[in-house]
Amino acid sequence: MKLDTETQKALDAAWNKETARASLERWLGVCAQEKWGNIPQDLPLLVTLFGASWYFTRYIFYRGNEAVALIDQPFLFEQRLGFLVQDFSENGINRDLEDNLHRLCLIKNEIMLQILLAQLKGEFDQVRSEQALTRLAEAVLQVMILLCGVDRETDGQFVVLGMGRIAGIEMTYGSDLDLIFLSRDNTQDAFERIG
């Protein structure tokens, strides 16, 4: 496998060189097989990603050229978050819950990938990444409350308390949500759909 200088440097600096090399070879094979050409343009960044995250390496191969296209696009975080909430607010209620959950998962992973890419490029430091991941978690929670109808079943008479990392605005890529739901009425069924 012959690589340009920048891609070779990225491979040499990769946290997990063997995984990065194997994933790059596989990716180039997929691109040739699917006739996608040389994507992404920023191949060194893809190599860095392959060496840094097994989770997002699998995601890249699952989503293919759609995920890799994110590498070459500018990341407009505020717009992506706003679109996420607005899209589900306008279009989510009348659609199938399972379809919505699948779509939400894909969009959440795309935004998480873009946060990681911004971090790998040096555009986001650790604090900015944690803030962005926390805001993403809050947006996903807002969409889940909407999709599961908790707001309708409680007439908006409920509170969600965030504990741990979400409360400290310190979410990381592997963080879970520690939440407490408080409501005036018995809405256990609605909350169980979120959990």
Side-chain angles (χ1 to χ4, degrees), residues 7 13 18 29 40 44 48 53 70 90 110 117 154 163 167 192-193 195:
T7 305
E18 295 304 315
T48 303
S53 172
L70 298 172
E90 293 174 357
E110 282 180 5
L117 291 169
T154 62
M163 310 295 285
E192 282 178 1
R193 287 196 294 271

PDB file of all heavy atoms in Angstrom, residues 7 13 18 29 40 44 48 53 70 90 110 117 154 163 167 192-193 195:
ATOM      1  N   THR A   7      -0.307  11.081   4.878  1.00  0.00           N
ATOM      2  CA  THR A   7      -1.031   9.901   5.348  1.00  0.00           C
ATOM      3  C   THR A   7      -0.090   8.956   6.086  1.00  0.00           C
ATOM      4  O   THR A   7      -0.448   8.397   7.130  1.00  0.00           O
ATOM      5  CB  THR A   7      -1.725   9.185   4.175  1.00  0.00           C
ATOM      6  OG1 THR A   7      -2.570  10.118   3.491  1.00  0.00           O
ATOM      7  CG2 THR A   7      -2.558   8.016   4.654  1.00  0.00           C
ATOM      8  N   ALA A  13       1.987   8.097  13.496  1.00  0.00           N
ATOM      9  CA  ALA A  13       1.646   8.746  14.770  1.00  0.00           C
ATOM     10  C   ALA A  13       0.380   8.183  15.400  1.00  0.00           C
ATOM     11  O   ALA A  13       0.013   8.587  16.511  1.00  0.00           O
ATOM     12  CB  ALA A  13       1.470  10.248  14.543  1.00  0.00           C
ATOM     13  N   GLU A  18      -1.502  -0.691  14.309  1.00  0.00           N
ATOM     14  CA  GLU A  18      -1.961  -1.896  13.615  1.00  0.00           C
ATOM     15  C   GLU A  18      -3.425  -1.775  13.185  1.00  0.00           C
ATOM     16  O   GLU A  18      -3.784  -2.111  12.055  1.00  0.00           O
ATOM     17  CB  GLU A  18      -1.757  -3.131  14.505  1.00  0.00           C
ATOM     18  CG  GLU A  18      -0.308  -3.442  14.785  1.00  0.00           C
ATOM     19  CD  GLU A  18       0.500  -3.613  13.510  1.00  0.00           C
ATOM     20  OE1 GLU A  18       0.035  -4.307  12.575  1.00  0.00           O
ATOM     21  OE2 GLU A  18       1.603  -3.039  13.431  1.00  0.00           O
ATOM     22  N   GLY A  29      -9.866  -0.682   0.039  1.00  0.00           N
ATOM     23  CA  GLY A  29     -10.470  -1.780  -0.715  1.00  0.00           C
ATOM     24  C   GLY A  29     -11.956  -1.563  -0.952  1.00  0.00           C
ATOM     25  O   GLY A  29     -12.461  -1.796  -2.054  1.00  0.00           O
ATOM     26  N   PRO A  40     -12.034   9.998   2.108  1.00  0.00           N
ATOM     27  CA  PRO A  40     -12.200  11.446   2.076  1.00  0.00           C
ATOM     28  C   PRO A  40     -10.969  12.124   1.491  1.00  0.00           C
ATOM     29  O   PRO A  40      -9.941  11.481   1.294  1.00  0.00           O
ATOM     30  CB  PRO A  40     -12.350  11.801   3.560  1.00  0.00           C
ATOM     31  CG  PRO A  40     -11.468  10.800   4.241  1.00  0.00           C
ATOM     32  CD  PRO A  40     -11.629   9.529   3.450  1.00  0.00           C
ATOM     33  N   PRO A  44      -5.380  11.606   5.935  1.00  0.00           N
ATOM     34  CA  PRO A  44      -4.656  11.526   7.213  1.00  0.00           C
ATOM     35  C   PRO A  44      -5.576  11.618   8.439  1.00  0.00           C
ATOM     36  O   PRO A  44      -5.342  10.942   9.439  1.00  0.00           O
ATOM     37  CB  PRO A  44      -3.688  12.717   7.151  1.00  0.00           C
ATOM     38  CG  PRO A  44      -3.455  12.927   5.689  1.00  0.00           C
ATOM     39  CD  PRO A  44      -4.777  12.610   5.044  1.00  0.00           C
ATOM     40  N   THR A  48      -6.029   8.888  11.438  1.00  0.00           N
ATOM     41  CA  THR A  48      -5.959   9.244  12.857  1.00  0.00           C
ATOM     42  C   THR A  48      -7.187   8.721  13.594  1.00  0.00           C
ATOM     43  O   THR A  48      -7.084   8.174  14.692  1.00  0.00           O
ATOM     44  CB  THR A  48      -5.839  10.773  13.027  1.00  0.00           C
ATOM     45  OG1 THR A  48      -4.680  11.217  12.318  1.00  0.00           O
ATOM     46  CG2 THR A  48      -5.713  11.160  14.482  1.00  0.00           C
ATOM     47  N   SER A  53     -10.181   5.365  17.605  1.00  0.00           N
ATOM     48  CA  SER A  53     -11.484   4.912  18.091  1.00  0.00           C
ATOM     49  C   SER A  53     -11.999   3.707  17.315  1.00  0.00           C
ATOM     50  O   SER A  53     -12.357   3.827  16.139  1.00  0.00           O
ATOM     51  CB  SER A  53     -12.506   6.056  17.983  1.00  0.00           C
ATOM     52  OG  SER A  53     -13.803   5.590  18.283  1.00  0.00           O
ATOM     53  N   LEU A  70     -18.460  13.337   6.202  1.00  0.00           N
ATOM     54  CA  LEU A  70     -18.413  14.271   7.324  1.00  0.00           C
ATOM     55  C   LEU A  70     -16.992  14.762   7.595  1.00  0.00           C
ATOM     56  O   LEU A  70     -16.796  15.841   8.143  1.00  0.00           O
ATOM     57  CB  LEU A  70     -18.981  13.620   8.583  1.00  0.00           C
ATOM     58  CG  LEU A  70     -20.445  13.195   8.534  1.00  0.00           C
ATOM     59  CD1 LEU A  70     -20.807  12.401   9.773  1.00  0.00           C
ATOM     60  CD2 LEU A  70     -21.349  14.399   8.378  1.00  0.00           C
ATOM     61  N   GLU A  90     -40.743  18.810  14.468  1.00  0.00           N
ATOM     62  CA  GLU A  90     -41.663  19.024  13.349  1.00  0.00           C
ATOM     63  C   GLU A  90     -42.127  17.726  12.700  1.00  0.00           C
ATOM     64  O   GLU A  90     -43.250  17.623  12.243  1.00  0.00           O
ATOM     65  CB  GLU A  90     -40.995  19.905  12.289  1.00  0.00           C
ATOM     66  CG  GLU A  90     -40.741  21.323  12.767  1.00  0.00           C
ATOM     67  CD  GLU A  90     -39.942  22.142  11.772  1.00  0.00           C
ATOM     68  OE1 GLU A  90     -39.525  21.592  10.726  1.00  0.00           O
ATOM     69  OE2 GLU A  90     -39.720  23.333  12.045  1.00  0.00           O
ATOM     70  N   GLU A 110     -23.504  10.673  14.209  1.00  0.00           N
ATOM     71  CA  GLU A 110     -22.861  11.607  13.264  1.00  0.00           C
ATOM     72  C   GLU A 110     -22.306  12.822  13.997  1.00  0.00           C
ATOM     73  O   GLU A 110     -21.181  13.250  13.740  1.00  0.00           O
ATOM     74  CB  GLU A 110     -23.853  12.073  12.201  1.00  0.00           C
ATOM     75  CG  GLU A 110     -24.121  11.085  11.117  1.00  0.00           C
ATOM     76  CD  GLU A 110     -25.115  11.611  10.090  1.00  0.00           C
ATOM     77  OE1 GLU A 110     -25.523  12.789  10.168  1.00  0.00           O
ATOM     78  OE2 GLU A 110     -25.491  10.822   9.204  1.00  0.00           O
ATOM     79  N   LEU A 117     -13.878  14.430  15.486  1.00  0.00           N
ATOM     80  CA  LEU A 117     -13.039  14.942  14.404  1.00  0.00           C
ATOM     81  C   LEU A 117     -12.539  16.349  14.722  1.00  0.00           C
ATOM     82  O   LEU A 117     -11.365  16.672  14.480  1.00  0.00           O
ATOM     83  CB  LEU A 117     -13.816  14.942  13.077  1.00  0.00           C
ATOM     84  CG  LEU A 117     -14.138  13.561  12.502  1.00  0.00           C
ATOM     85  CD1 LEU A 117     -15.117  13.681  11.348  1.00  0.00           C
ATOM     86  CD2 LEU A 117     -12.873  12.832  12.075  1.00  0.00           C
ATOM     87  N   THR A 154     -47.850  14.295  30.975  1.00  0.00           N
ATOM     88  CA  THR A 154     -47.691  14.983  32.263  1.00  0.00           C
ATOM     89  C   THR A 154     -48.129  16.439  32.185  1.00  0.00           C
ATOM     90  O   THR A 154     -48.022  17.156  33.175  1.00  0.00           O
ATOM     91  CB  THR A 154     -46.225  14.956  32.717  1.00  0.00           C
ATOM     92  OG1 THR A 154     -45.434  15.661  31.754  1.00  0.00           O
ATOM     93  CG2 THR A 154     -45.724  13.548  32.906  1.00  0.00           C
ATOM     94  N   MET A 163     -27.547  14.062  36.864  1.00  0.00           N
ATOM     95  CA  MET A 163     -26.558  13.793  37.910  1.00  0.00           C
ATOM     96  C   MET A 163     -25.221  13.483  37.233  1.00  0.00           C
ATOM     97  O   MET A 163     -25.155  13.261  36.033  1.00  0.00           O
ATOM     98  CB  MET A 163     -27.004  12.594  38.763  1.00  0.00           C
ATOM     99  CG  MET A 163     -28.445  12.676  39.263  1.00  0.00           C
ATOM    100  SD  MET A 163     -28.737  14.011  40.384  1.00  0.00           S
ATOM    101  CE  MET A 163     -27.943  13.340  41.823  1.00  0.00           C
ATOM    102  N   ALA A 167     -24.493  16.711  34.795  1.00  0.00           N
ATOM    103  CA  ALA A 167     -24.678  17.869  35.676  1.00  0.00           C
ATOM    104  C   ALA A 167     -23.423  18.734  35.698  1.00  0.00           C
ATOM    105  O   ALA A 167     -23.504  19.962  35.806  1.00  0.00           O
ATOM    106  CB  ALA A 167     -25.017  17.409  37.087  1.00  0.00           C
ATOM    107  N   GLU A 192     -40.746   4.887  31.600  1.00  0.00           N
ATOM    108  CA  GLU A 192     -40.120   3.613  31.277  1.00  0.00           C
ATOM    109  C   GLU A 192     -39.761   3.533  29.802  1.00  0.00           C
ATOM    110  O   GLU A 192     -38.790   2.904  29.417  1.00  0.00           O
ATOM    111  CB  GLU A 192     -41.044   2.458  31.667  1.00  0.00           C
ATOM    112  CG  GLU A 192     -41.026   2.183  33.160  1.00  0.00           C
ATOM    113  CD  GLU A 192     -41.972   1.068  33.565  1.00  0.00           C
ATOM    114  OE1 GLU A 192     -42.642   0.493  32.675  1.00  0.00           O
ATOM    115  OE2 GLU A 192     -42.032   0.786  34.766  1.00  0.00           O
ATOM    116  N   ARG A 193     -40.525   4.202  28.936  1.00  0.00           N
ATOM    117  CA  ARG A 193     -40.205   4.205  27.501  1.00  0.00           C
ATOM    118  C   ARG A 193     -38.889   4.924  27.244  1.00  0.00           C
ATOM    119  O   ARG A 193     -38.166   4.588  26.332  1.00  0.00           O
ATOM    120  CB  ARG A 193     -41.334   4.851  26.704  1.00  0.00           C
ATOM    121  CG  ARG A 193     -42.564   3.977  26.608  1.00  0.00           C
ATOM    122  CD  ARG A 193     -43.491   4.456  25.519  1.00  0.00           C
ATOM    123  NE  ARG A 193     -44.065   5.751  25.804  1.00  0.00           N
ATOM    124  CZ  ARG A 193     -45.199   5.965  26.465  1.00  0.00           C
ATOM    125  NH1 ARG A 193     -45.864   4.941  26.958  1.00  0.00           N
ATOM    126  NH2 ARG A 193     -45.661   7.180  26.653  1.00  0.00           N
ATOM    127  N   GLY A 195     -36.323   5.189  29.565  1.00  0.00           N
ATOM    128  CA  GLY A 195     -35.257   4.417  30.216  1.00  0.00           C
ATOM    129  C   GLY A 195     -34.829   3.271  29.388  1.00  0.00           C
ATOM    130  O   GLY A 195     -33.714   2.921  29.261  1.00  0.00           O
TER     131      GLY A 195
END
